[in-house]
Amino acid sequence: MFAKVISGSLIGLDSEVITVEIDLANGLPSLQVVGLPDLSVRESKERIRAAISNSGYKFPAKRITVNLSPANTRKEGTQFDLPIAIGILIASGLIKPNQSKGCAFIGELSLDGKIRGVKGALPLVMGLRNKGVKKIILPMANAEEASVIDAIALYPVRNLSEVVNFFMHENAIEPYNGKASEKFVSCSASDDFSEVSGQETIKRALQIAASASHNLLMIGPPGSGKTMMARRITGILPGLTYEEKLEVTKIYSVAGELNSQRPVISQRQFRAPHHTITQSALVGGGRNPKPGEVSLSHHGVLFFDELPEFTRNILELLRQPIEDEKITIARAGGVITFPSKFMFVASMNPCPCGYYGDTTHECSCTMGQIHNYMSKISGPLFDRLDMHLEILPVQYQELTRNYQGRTSEDMRKEVEAARQIQIDRYQNETISYNSQLTPALIKKYCNIDRETRDLLENAFEKLALSARAYNKIIKLARSIADMEGKEQIKLPHVAEAIQYRSLDKKYRGI
Amino acid sequence: MKSMNDPIYDLWLSTLEGLGLKNQLKLLDLFGNSQNVFEQPITSLMESLQILDRLSKKAAEMLLRRDITLAQKIMEDNKRLDIRIVTIRDGHYPQRLLDIWDPPIVLYYKGNIHERDKDAVAIVGARKATPYGKWVSEGLGKKLAEYDVTVISGMAYGIDSASHIGALSGGGRTIAVLGCGPDICYPPSNRKLMASIIENGAVISEFPPGMPPMAGNFPRRNRIISGMSICLIVTEAGLNSGSLITADCALEQGKEVFAVPGNINSIYSIGTNKLIKDGATPLIRIADMISELGLQNEKAKEDFLPEKLGRDELTIFEALKELGFATTDALCKMTKKTVSEVHALVTILEIKGIVETAQGKIFIAK
């Protein structure tokens, strides 16, 4: 009276194969789950009992022991409901063991026998496929999400009887033949840059930033369009590759952010957490860590509106993910790494009231307040911002004029071309974009001629630029040159780059 | 018997609580010097009380008690904090201050006061200033320094700091008049600036060491700023700026007041524009002030010639001249150039010192 069924369990973004063993023995009727189940797994026995009886089958009046092996890792999630239920039905003789051989199961049961979707279906299915499983029975709700993976047969089911009939009467369930792969290709347009009137300067700067994933800060009074433009950055980034989509979808799957409207993630994501965000919501956390905002914006844009309103703790936490492009979370349950390769975009007002420097509104802040406000972003985080852009509100005439700006698509094409140049150039290096250039690589790939060097020296002296600006300016100049398809960085490129470092200028302070 | 110039009596007189500067000066007038005041027999002091204005009972008692311990404590503090004092009777007391009706009896200072500080120019303005205002002040400070003119200001944020920085960058002398004790740096972020002012001039105050920067102190110190200088320049001031008080002091003291005109839609220039309406001399070019002061032009640096610019640079320059100040967007539209071209040209013009950029605006600096 023993049965064995295969399922899977999540570890971060990966999964491991779990063998669900069921033993029926004589004794007082009971159902015991061992193998380090957490609460959501232990509670499954009540659901299983009800689901089996309510589906019209007999729940064996035996002493039932369920073991989740390997027994030394913690198991979490509701996906074990279905495999345990099937295991019990096999052990009680309803289903023949050889019928279910080579088949893996995931799914949550409801009391009436329906099968519900689970979190992390995509990584679970991927992990099982990589371990040689060829057939998977999974909830209908997860079918579309999992169908992006090939070389595995997916059998979507709606309720427990469907599964039983499938094995007992060979009632065929069609392997899922969904359209997810089509969804994966399509790229519906989000907000478009052509809706932004004027601001050509900022659009150009954002294009440069997008072409090499430069982190940037926008400073401007309320109503100047900072958020509006930040939202549109994802639209000018190149489309995601298949691997990138898979990676992002996995993250969203584990975070439980996928649903029938959005079964897969095919576009770069724009995440704009509010400034009251907690530390674990930002970097990920929980006893069994779940990805946070830095990972949810993987391959996308992480936007901090009103940067100085974020607490210092939160801002400091950003340093590791920005630098390493991944975040490592250590908990009692284990050490887990989530990827976090995002473009960081921040915006802020020039002062607490917002109108310092505005020609038409009076600023009501004292100089001391403005000083404190600006100094919140000093230090290490400042070092990670490649560009600072000053934004002024557009004039009323600009807004009302029948204005047709450049579309996101036009801009994206140029960004794509510039990115291709960078990918080709760095194919033998560990980096792919200009923003990742290290000082050693700058020496190798960013030669500047004598004339340009003189200009840069002059600029440092005359404009009182700070020393840390040097490498940033070179990197930006590299991106500007790539944008124009030039291999050699020339004087105009460096000269333009200097304009994108406004906070280094002296008249900001005093 | 103590020497005639022992400053302890001046200190005693100047720190008498509740007496007021006006009464202190009256007593000095009556008895010649502060030691005489101190050593007057009690009856004659009692008599002198009649001529003093609005004297409280407490202040009168303080005067009659003739307690010198506070003065001694200040002397010790000064020694410890490296603060020097100059009294109204000293030879190196700022000469122009003697011409105003309420000169402080004692000035505390750090650094040194020089003979040529006599012909100083004061530059003041609002704490909250535009980049333009800061640039003008810094430019003025630097130019004056090139002519060996000492620049006097108040070391506040904004215009004041920019003026000091300009003078220092021109290698000149500069004096900061504080509204707190000379041992206190206010605003605290100006610590570095304060150190270099002390090295290349002085920080001066009529307040004893330890006096916090109380709001009431600042209008008083303004009269010293204008009093020590031959003329006053207000570069940028809003409607309620404290620098307008300084301008009032300067007019009362019969000093020439210059005001830098600003756009009439700029809230940061309402004060200065109003000064011009009320009769202040508008400062149109930095060179004007130099000739107004009667300074020799021989040291003047070669003026900027637009002919030296390249064709594209000139296009930008001309466009800026027309617009006053502009955003990059506006320049692109006007010159029919791309953003990248305009940015590159602006940087080059910036390095040449012809334009400045700040807070998203570009403006002409020459």
PDB file of all heavy atoms in Angstrom, chain A residues 199-201 357 362-363 365 367 398 495-496 499-500 505 507 509-510, chain B residues 128-129 134-135 157 161 267 329 333 340 343 347 350 357 359 361:
ATOM      1  N   GLN A 199      10.282  69.480 -24.455  1.00  0.00           N
ATOM      2  CA  GLN A 199      11.235  68.672 -23.671  1.00  0.00           C
ATOM      3  C   GLN A 199      12.157  67.838 -24.560  1.00  0.00           C
ATOM      4  O   GLN A 199      12.556  66.741 -24.190  1.00  0.00           O
ATOM      5  CB  GLN A 199      10.506  67.748 -22.669  1.00  0.00           C
ATOM      6  CG  GLN A 199       9.612  68.453 -21.689  1.00  0.00           C
ATOM      7  CD  GLN A 199      10.338  69.270 -20.644  1.00  0.00           C
ATOM      8  OE1 GLN A 199      11.483  69.679 -20.866  1.00  0.00           O
ATOM      9  NE2 GLN A 199       9.730  69.540 -19.512  1.00  0.00           N
ATOM     10  N   GLU A 200      12.506  68.366 -25.723  1.00  0.00           N
ATOM     11  CA  GLU A 200      13.352  67.601 -26.635  1.00  0.00           C
ATOM     12  C   GLU A 200      14.697  67.280 -25.988  1.00  0.00           C
ATOM     13  O   GLU A 200      15.287  66.234 -26.213  1.00  0.00           O
ATOM     14  CB  GLU A 200      13.577  68.376 -27.941  1.00  0.00           C
ATOM     15  CG  GLU A 200      12.319  68.546 -28.782  1.00  0.00           C
ATOM     16  CD  GLU A 200      11.681  67.221 -29.156  1.00  0.00           C
ATOM     17  OE1 GLU A 200      12.427  66.272 -29.472  1.00  0.00           O
ATOM     18  OE2 GLU A 200      10.445  67.122 -29.104  1.00  0.00           O
ATOM     19  N   THR A 201      15.173  68.218 -25.174  1.00  0.00           N
ATOM     20  CA  THR A 201      16.461  68.018 -24.523  1.00  0.00           C
ATOM     21  C   THR A 201      16.438  66.784 -23.625  1.00  0.00           C
ATOM     22  O   THR A 201      17.345  65.962 -23.657  1.00  0.00           O
ATOM     23  CB  THR A 201      16.794  69.246 -23.648  1.00  0.00           C
ATOM     24  OG1 THR A 201      16.528  70.405 -24.420  1.00  0.00           O
ATOM     25  CG2 THR A 201      18.216  69.225 -23.220  1.00  0.00           C
ATOM     26  N   GLY A 357      14.102  78.013  -8.050  1.00  0.00           N
ATOM     27  CA  GLY A 357      14.612  78.142  -9.407  1.00  0.00           C
ATOM     28  C   GLY A 357      13.515  78.375 -10.429  1.00  0.00           C
ATOM     29  O   GLY A 357      13.785  78.748 -11.557  1.00  0.00           O
ATOM     30  N   GLU A 362       6.948  81.542  -6.304  1.00  0.00           N
ATOM     31  CA  GLU A 362       7.911  81.871  -5.257  1.00  0.00           C
ATOM     32  C   GLU A 362       8.184  80.636  -4.404  1.00  0.00           C
ATOM     33  O   GLU A 362       7.272  79.929  -4.019  1.00  0.00           O
ATOM     34  CB  GLU A 362       7.382  82.998  -4.381  1.00  0.00           C
ATOM     35  CG  GLU A 362       8.413  83.420  -3.366  1.00  0.00           C
ATOM     36  CD  GLU A 362       8.274  84.890  -3.004  1.00  0.00           C
ATOM     37  OE1 GLU A 362       7.252  85.504  -3.341  1.00  0.00           O
ATOM     38  OE2 GLU A 362       9.199  85.413  -2.391  1.00  0.00           O
ATOM     39  N   CYS A 363       9.464  80.397  -4.145  1.00  0.00           N
ATOM     40  CA  CYS A 363       9.848  79.261  -3.319  1.00  0.00           C
ATOM     41  C   CYS A 363       9.773  79.686  -1.860  1.00  0.00           C
ATOM     42  O   CYS A 363      10.250  80.748  -1.484  1.00  0.00           O
ATOM     43  CB  CYS A 363      11.271  78.846  -3.680  1.00  0.00           C
ATOM     44  SG  CYS A 363      12.074  77.808  -2.472  1.00  0.00           S
ATOM     45  N   CYS A 365      10.957  77.966   0.781  1.00  0.00           N
ATOM     46  CA  CYS A 365      11.899  77.248   1.641  1.00  0.00           C
ATOM     47  C   CYS A 365      13.049  78.167   2.045  1.00  0.00           C
ATOM     48  O   CYS A 365      13.387  79.094   1.324  1.00  0.00           O
ATOM     49  CB  CYS A 365      12.493  76.057   0.900  1.00  0.00           C
ATOM     50  SG  CYS A 365      11.286  75.067   0.065  1.00  0.00           S
ATOM     51  N   MET A 367      17.161  78.623   2.819  1.00  0.00           N
ATOM     52  CA  MET A 367      18.333  78.016   2.199  1.00  0.00           C
ATOM     53  C   MET A 367      18.764  76.774   2.971  1.00  0.00           C
ATOM     54  O   MET A 367      19.240  75.810   2.390  1.00  0.00           O
ATOM     55  CB  MET A 367      19.488  79.023   2.135  1.00  0.00           C
ATOM     56  CG  MET A 367      19.509  79.920   0.932  1.00  0.00           C
ATOM     57  SD  MET A 367      19.049  79.157  -0.624  1.00  0.00           S
ATOM     58  CE  MET A 367      20.508  78.221  -1.030  1.00  0.00           C
ATOM     59  N   GLU A 398       3.566  75.670 -25.704  1.00  0.00           N
ATOM     60  CA  GLU A 398       4.074  74.377 -26.177  1.00  0.00           C
ATOM     61  C   GLU A 398       3.001  73.299 -26.048  1.00  0.00           C
ATOM     62  O   GLU A 398       2.880  72.423 -26.886  1.00  0.00           O
ATOM     63  CB  GLU A 398       5.286  73.957 -25.332  1.00  0.00           C
ATOM     64  CG  GLU A 398       6.506  74.819 -25.548  1.00  0.00           C
ATOM     65  CD  GLU A 398       7.373  74.256 -26.652  1.00  0.00           C
ATOM     66  OE1 GLU A 398       6.993  73.214 -27.213  1.00  0.00           O
ATOM     67  OE2 GLU A 398       8.397  74.874 -26.964  1.00  0.00           O
ATOM     68  N   ALA A 495      31.736  67.193 -24.899  1.00  0.00           N
ATOM     69  CA  ALA A 495      31.134  68.486 -24.552  1.00  0.00           C
ATOM     70  C   ALA A 495      29.657  68.306 -24.207  1.00  0.00           C
ATOM     71  O   ALA A 495      29.156  68.898 -23.259  1.00  0.00           O
ATOM     72  CB  ALA A 495      31.298  69.465 -25.701  1.00  0.00           C
ATOM     73  N   GLU A 496      28.975  67.465 -24.973  1.00  0.00           N
ATOM     74  CA  GLU A 496      27.558  67.234 -24.679  1.00  0.00           C
ATOM     75  C   GLU A 496      27.404  66.513 -23.335  1.00  0.00           C
ATOM     76  O   GLU A 496      26.533  66.851 -22.530  1.00  0.00           O
ATOM     77  CB  GLU A 496      26.901  66.416 -25.798  1.00  0.00           C
ATOM     78  CG  GLU A 496      25.397  66.288 -25.589  1.00  0.00           C
ATOM     79  CD  GLU A 496      24.715  65.439 -26.657  1.00  0.00           C
ATOM     80  OE1 GLU A 496      25.364  65.063 -27.652  1.00  0.00           O
ATOM     81  OE2 GLU A 496      23.527  65.150 -26.467  1.00  0.00           O
ATOM     82  N   GLN A 499      27.091  68.444 -20.172  1.00  0.00           N
ATOM     83  CA  GLN A 499      25.802  69.075 -19.869  1.00  0.00           C
ATOM     84  C   GLN A 499      24.886  68.173 -19.047  1.00  0.00           C
ATOM     85  O   GLN A 499      23.900  68.630 -18.497  1.00  0.00           O
ATOM     86  CB  GLN A 499      25.083  69.472 -21.165  1.00  0.00           C
ATOM     87  CG  GLN A 499      25.731  70.630 -21.878  1.00  0.00           C
ATOM     88  CD  GLN A 499      25.787  71.888 -21.037  1.00  0.00           C
ATOM     89  OE1 GLN A 499      24.884  72.200 -20.284  1.00  0.00           O
ATOM     90  NE2 GLN A 499      26.882  72.615 -21.143  1.00  0.00           N
ATOM     91  N   TYR A 500      25.197  66.873 -19.014  1.00  0.00           N
ATOM     92  CA  TYR A 500      24.322  65.963 -18.274  1.00  0.00           C
ATOM     93  C   TYR A 500      24.799  65.733 -16.844  1.00  0.00           C
ATOM     94  O   TYR A 500      24.459  64.750 -16.228  1.00  0.00           O
ATOM     95  CB  TYR A 500      24.201  64.624 -19.024  1.00  0.00           C
ATOM     96  CG  TYR A 500      23.644  64.780 -20.413  1.00  0.00           C
ATOM     97  CD1 TYR A 500      24.239  64.170 -21.507  1.00  0.00           C
ATOM     98  CD2 TYR A 500      22.514  65.563 -20.633  1.00  0.00           C
ATOM     99  CE1 TYR A 500      23.723  64.331 -22.793  1.00  0.00           C
ATOM    100  CE2 TYR A 500      21.996  65.732 -21.897  1.00  0.00           C
ATOM    101  CZ  TYR A 500      22.605  65.112 -22.977  1.00  0.00           C
ATOM    102  OH  TYR A 500      22.084  65.280 -24.224  1.00  0.00           O
ATOM    103  N   LYS A 505      27.929  71.091 -11.035  1.00  0.00           N
ATOM    104  CA  LYS A 505      28.247  72.492 -11.304  1.00  0.00           C
ATOM    105  C   LYS A 505      28.197  73.313 -10.024  1.00  0.00           C
ATOM    106  O   LYS A 505      27.422  73.032  -9.125  1.00  0.00           O
ATOM    107  CB  LYS A 505      27.232  73.069 -12.293  1.00  0.00           C
ATOM    108  CG  LYS A 505      27.214  72.354 -13.609  1.00  0.00           C
ATOM    109  CD  LYS A 505      27.968  73.137 -14.647  1.00  0.00           C
ATOM    110  CE  LYS A 505      27.936  72.446 -15.992  1.00  0.00           C
ATOM    111  NZ  LYS A 505      26.618  72.543 -16.591  1.00  0.00           N
ATOM    112  N   TYR A 507      27.203  76.520  -9.359  1.00  0.00           N
ATOM    113  CA  TYR A 507      26.153  77.453  -8.959  1.00  0.00           C
ATOM    114  C   TYR A 507      24.939  76.768  -8.351  1.00  0.00           C
ATOM    115  O   TYR A 507      23.985  77.382  -7.942  1.00  0.00           O
ATOM    116  CB  TYR A 507      25.726  78.336 -10.132  1.00  0.00           C
ATOM    117  CG  TYR A 507      26.737  79.380 -10.408  1.00  0.00           C
ATOM    118  CD1 TYR A 507      27.485  79.381 -11.568  1.00  0.00           C
ATOM    119  CD2 TYR A 507      27.012  80.349  -9.449  1.00  0.00           C
ATOM    120  CE1 TYR A 507      28.451  80.318 -11.792  1.00  0.00           C
ATOM    121  CE2 TYR A 507      27.974  81.301  -9.660  1.00  0.00           C
ATOM    122  CZ  TYR A 507      28.696  81.291 -10.843  1.00  0.00           C
ATOM    123  OH  TYR A 507      29.659  82.226 -11.051  1.00  0.00           O
ATOM    124  N   GLY A 509      25.186  75.098  -5.616  1.00  0.00           N
ATOM    125  CA  GLY A 509      25.350  75.181  -4.171  1.00  0.00           C
ATOM    126  C   GLY A 509      25.430  76.603  -3.642  1.00  0.00           C
ATOM    127  O   GLY A 509      24.565  77.397  -3.890  1.00  0.00           O
ATOM    128  N   ILE A 510      26.482  76.928  -2.952  1.00  0.00           N
ATOM    129  CA  ILE A 510      26.768  78.185  -2.242  1.00  0.00           C
ATOM    130  C   ILE A 510      25.688  78.492  -1.205  1.00  0.00           C
ATOM    131  O   ILE A 510      24.619  78.929  -1.568  1.00  0.00           O
ATOM    132  CB  ILE A 510      26.958  79.408  -3.156  1.00  0.00           C
ATOM    133  CG1 ILE A 510      27.986  79.105  -4.229  1.00  0.00           C
ATOM    134  CG2 ILE A 510      27.451  80.570  -2.309  1.00  0.00           C
ATOM    135  CD1 ILE A 510      28.387  80.298  -5.048  1.00  0.00           C
TER     136      ILE A 510
ATOM    137  N   LYS B 128      18.497  83.478  -0.688  1.00  0.00           N
ATOM    138  CA  LYS B 128      17.987  82.614  -1.735  1.00  0.00           C
ATOM    139  C   LYS B 128      18.132  83.358  -3.046  1.00  0.00           C
ATOM    140  O   LYS B 128      17.407  84.298  -3.332  1.00  0.00           O
ATOM    141  CB  LYS B 128      16.530  82.277  -1.462  1.00  0.00           C
ATOM    142  CG  LYS B 128      16.044  81.147  -2.300  1.00  0.00           C
ATOM    143  CD  LYS B 128      14.929  80.392  -1.615  1.00  0.00           C
ATOM    144  CE  LYS B 128      13.824  81.310  -1.208  1.00  0.00           C
ATOM    145  NZ  LYS B 128      12.812  80.689  -0.433  1.00  0.00           N
ATOM    146  N   ALA B 129      19.099  82.950  -3.821  1.00  0.00           N
ATOM    147  CA  ALA B 129      19.415  83.704  -5.019  1.00  0.00           C
ATOM    148  C   ALA B 129      19.345  82.792  -6.225  1.00  0.00           C
ATOM    149  O   ALA B 129      19.413  81.586  -6.112  1.00  0.00           O
ATOM    150  CB  ALA B 129      20.808  84.300  -4.886  1.00  0.00           C
ATOM    151  N   LYS B 134      24.069  84.758  -8.211  1.00  0.00           N
ATOM    152  CA  LYS B 134      25.318  84.266  -7.630  1.00  0.00           C
ATOM    153  C   LYS B 134      26.474  84.519  -8.579  1.00  0.00           C
ATOM    154  O   LYS B 134      27.564  84.915  -8.174  1.00  0.00           O
ATOM    155  CB  LYS B 134      25.199  82.770  -7.342  1.00  0.00           C
ATOM    156  CG  LYS B 134      24.276  82.447  -6.194  1.00  0.00           C
ATOM    157  CD  LYS B 134      24.175  80.949  -6.045  1.00  0.00           C
ATOM    158  CE  LYS B 134      23.020  80.573  -5.121  1.00  0.00           C
ATOM    159  NZ  LYS B 134      22.687  79.162  -5.249  1.00  0.00           N
ATOM    160  N   TRP B 135      26.182  84.300  -9.868  1.00  0.00           N
ATOM    161  CA  TRP B 135      27.242  84.511 -10.837  1.00  0.00           C
ATOM    162  C   TRP B 135      27.657  85.978 -10.881  1.00  0.00           C
ATOM    163  O   TRP B 135      28.835  86.311 -10.913  1.00  0.00           O
ATOM    164  CB  TRP B 135      26.788  84.038 -12.225  1.00  0.00           C
ATOM    165  CG  TRP B 135      27.728  84.525 -13.263  1.00  0.00           C
ATOM    166  CD1 TRP B 135      28.940  83.989 -13.554  1.00  0.00           C
ATOM    167  CD2 TRP B 135      27.590  85.697 -14.042  1.00  0.00           C
ATOM    168  NE1 TRP B 135      29.559  84.748 -14.492  1.00  0.00           N
ATOM    169  CE2 TRP B 135      28.760  85.807 -14.807  1.00  0.00           C
ATOM    170  CE3 TRP B 135      26.592  86.657 -14.160  1.00  0.00           C
ATOM    171  CZ2 TRP B 135      28.961  86.859 -15.696  1.00  0.00           C
ATOM    172  CZ3 TRP B 135      26.784  87.698 -15.041  1.00  0.00           C
ATOM    173  CH2 TRP B 135      27.955  87.794 -15.809  1.00  0.00           C
ATOM    174  N   TYR B 157      24.246  82.604   3.211  1.00  0.00           N
ATOM    175  CA  TYR B 157      24.084  81.796   2.001  1.00  0.00           C
ATOM    176  C   TYR B 157      23.901  82.718   0.804  1.00  0.00           C
ATOM    177  O   TYR B 157      23.571  83.887   0.940  1.00  0.00           O
ATOM    178  CB  TYR B 157      22.798  80.966   2.097  1.00  0.00           C
ATOM    179  CG  TYR B 157      22.852  79.707   2.893  1.00  0.00           C
ATOM    180  CD1 TYR B 157      21.973  79.509   3.949  1.00  0.00           C
ATOM    181  CD2 TYR B 157      23.746  78.696   2.575  1.00  0.00           C
ATOM    182  CE1 TYR B 157      21.989  78.333   4.678  1.00  0.00           C
ATOM    183  CE2 TYR B 157      23.759  77.509   3.297  1.00  0.00           C
ATOM    184  CZ  TYR B 157      22.880  77.335   4.345  1.00  0.00           C
ATOM    185  OH  TYR B 157      22.889  76.178   5.044  1.00  0.00           O
ATOM    186  N   SER B 161      27.832  84.734   0.173  1.00  0.00           N
ATOM    187  CA  SER B 161      28.894  83.744   0.017  1.00  0.00           C
ATOM    188  C   SER B 161      29.552  83.862  -1.349  1.00  0.00           C
ATOM    189  O   SER B 161      30.771  83.799  -1.470  1.00  0.00           O
ATOM    190  CB  SER B 161      28.334  82.330   0.181  1.00  0.00           C
ATOM    191  OG  SER B 161      27.867  82.153   1.485  1.00  0.00           O
ATOM    192  N   ILE B 267      10.905  87.144  -9.360  1.00  0.00           N
ATOM    193  CA  ILE B 267      10.609  87.516  -7.986  1.00  0.00           C
ATOM    194  C   ILE B 267      11.879  87.741  -7.187  1.00  0.00           C
ATOM    195  O   ILE B 267      11.856  88.306  -6.117  1.00  0.00           O
ATOM    196  CB  ILE B 267       9.753  86.423  -7.295  1.00  0.00           C
ATOM    197  CG1 ILE B 267      10.341  85.060  -7.604  1.00  0.00           C
ATOM    198  CG2 ILE B 267       8.321  86.525  -7.665  1.00  0.00           C
ATOM    199  CD1 ILE B 267       9.627  83.942  -6.907  1.00  0.00           C
ATOM    200  N   ASP B 329      16.011  73.616 -25.138  1.00  0.00           N
ATOM    201  CA  ASP B 329      14.936  73.464 -26.121  1.00  0.00           C
ATOM    202  C   ASP B 329      14.734  74.739 -26.936  1.00  0.00           C
ATOM    203  O   ASP B 329      14.626  74.702 -28.153  1.00  0.00           O
ATOM    204  CB  ASP B 329      13.617  73.123 -25.407  1.00  0.00           C
ATOM    205  CG  ASP B 329      13.481  71.625 -25.190  1.00  0.00           C
ATOM    206  OD1 ASP B 329      14.507  70.939 -25.325  1.00  0.00           O
ATOM    207  OD2 ASP B 329      12.369  71.177 -24.888  1.00  0.00           O
ATOM    208  N   LYS B 333      15.324  75.428 -31.039  1.00  0.00           N
ATOM    209  CA  LYS B 333      14.287  75.921 -31.928  1.00  0.00           C
ATOM    210  C   LYS B 333      14.778  77.171 -32.659  1.00  0.00           C
ATOM    211  O   LYS B 333      14.572  77.347 -33.829  1.00  0.00           O
ATOM    212  CB  LYS B 333      13.043  76.244 -31.095  1.00  0.00           C
ATOM    213  CG  LYS B 333      11.757  75.944 -31.806  1.00  0.00           C
ATOM    214  CD  LYS B 333      10.589  75.940 -30.841  1.00  0.00           C
ATOM    215  CE  LYS B 333      10.576  74.720 -29.956  1.00  0.00           C
ATOM    216  NZ  LYS B 333       9.689  74.903 -28.800  1.00  0.00           N
ATOM    217  N   SER B 340      22.106  67.785 -29.394  1.00  0.00           N
ATOM    218  CA  SER B 340      23.511  67.444 -29.131  1.00  0.00           C
ATOM    219  C   SER B 340      24.434  68.571 -29.570  1.00  0.00           C
ATOM    220  O   SER B 340      25.408  68.886 -28.883  1.00  0.00           O
ATOM    221  CB  SER B 340      23.877  66.142 -29.822  1.00  0.00           C
ATOM    222  OG  SER B 340      23.517  66.175 -31.157  1.00  0.00           O
ATOM    223  N   HIS B 343      24.138  71.409 -26.972  1.00  0.00           N
ATOM    224  CA  HIS B 343      24.804  71.051 -25.724  1.00  0.00           C
ATOM    225  C   HIS B 343      26.316  71.166 -25.849  1.00  0.00           C
ATOM    226  O   HIS B 343      26.989  71.705 -24.977  1.00  0.00           O
ATOM    227  CB  HIS B 343      24.438  69.613 -25.331  1.00  0.00           C
ATOM    228  CG  HIS B 343      23.236  69.548 -24.461  1.00  0.00           C
ATOM    229  ND1 HIS B 343      22.484  68.416 -24.318  1.00  0.00           N
ATOM    230  CD2 HIS B 343      22.664  70.474 -23.666  1.00  0.00           C
ATOM    231  CE1 HIS B 343      21.490  68.648 -23.481  1.00  0.00           C
ATOM    232  NE2 HIS B 343      21.581  69.892 -23.074  1.00  0.00           N
ATOM    233  N   THR B 347      28.672  73.869 -23.770  1.00  0.00           N
ATOM    234  CA  THR B 347      29.802  73.484 -22.920  1.00  0.00           C
ATOM    235  C   THR B 347      31.051  74.272 -23.296  1.00  0.00           C
ATOM    236  O   THR B 347      31.774  74.770 -22.434  1.00  0.00           O
ATOM    237  CB  THR B 347      30.090  71.980 -23.063  1.00  0.00           C
ATOM    238  OG1 THR B 347      28.918  71.272 -22.752  1.00  0.00           O
ATOM    239  CG2 THR B 347      31.193  71.562 -22.122  1.00  0.00           C
ATOM    240  N   GLU B 350      30.778  77.705 -22.205  1.00  0.00           N
ATOM    241  CA  GLU B 350      30.871  77.728 -20.744  1.00  0.00           C
ATOM    242  C   GLU B 350      32.331  77.722 -20.314  1.00  0.00           C
ATOM    243  O   GLU B 350      32.743  78.443 -19.419  1.00  0.00           O
ATOM    244  CB  GLU B 350      30.182  76.472 -20.203  1.00  0.00           C
ATOM    245  CG  GLU B 350      29.217  76.714 -19.096  1.00  0.00           C
ATOM    246  CD  GLU B 350      28.584  75.419 -18.622  1.00  0.00           C
ATOM    247  OE1 GLU B 350      28.383  74.489 -19.423  1.00  0.00           O
ATOM    248  OE2 GLU B 350      28.309  75.330 -17.440  1.00  0.00           O
ATOM    249  N   THR B 357      25.457  77.845 -17.105  1.00  0.00           N
ATOM    250  CA  THR B 357      24.216  77.084 -17.033  1.00  0.00           C
ATOM    251  C   THR B 357      23.956  76.728 -15.585  1.00  0.00           C
ATOM    252  O   THR B 357      24.890  76.499 -14.829  1.00  0.00           O
ATOM    253  CB  THR B 357      24.290  75.762 -17.815  1.00  0.00           C
ATOM    254  OG1 THR B 357      25.270  74.934 -17.196  1.00  0.00           O
ATOM    255  CG2 THR B 357      24.625  75.977 -19.257  1.00  0.00           C
ATOM    256  N   GLN B 359      20.410  75.028 -13.149  1.00  0.00           N
ATOM    257  CA  GLN B 359      19.003  74.710 -12.975  1.00  0.00           C
ATOM    258  C   GLN B 359      18.259  74.693 -14.297  1.00  0.00           C
ATOM    259  O   GLN B 359      17.135  75.151 -14.402  1.00  0.00           O
ATOM    260  CB  GLN B 359      18.353  75.706 -12.017  1.00  0.00           C
ATOM    261  CG  GLN B 359      18.970  75.603 -10.645  1.00  0.00           C
ATOM    262  CD  GLN B 359      18.268  76.454  -9.634  1.00  0.00           C
ATOM    263  OE1 GLN B 359      17.592  77.415  -9.990  1.00  0.00           O
ATOM    264  NE2 GLN B 359      18.402  76.105  -8.378  1.00  0.00           N
ATOM    265  N   LYS B 361      18.826  76.311 -17.014  1.00  0.00           N
ATOM    266  CA  LYS B 361      18.800  77.528 -17.826  1.00  0.00           C
ATOM    267  C   LYS B 361      20.206  77.890 -18.288  1.00  0.00           C
ATOM    268  O   LYS B 361      21.181  77.617 -17.607  1.00  0.00           O
ATOM    269  CB  LYS B 361      18.225  78.697 -17.022  1.00  0.00           C
ATOM    270  CG  LYS B 361      16.777  78.508 -16.675  1.00  0.00           C
ATOM    271  CD  LYS B 361      16.343  79.569 -15.679  1.00  0.00           C
ATOM    272  CE  LYS B 361      15.282  79.010 -14.756  1.00  0.00           C
ATOM    273  NZ  LYS B 361      15.372  79.524 -13.414  1.00  0.00           N
TER     274      LYS B 361
END
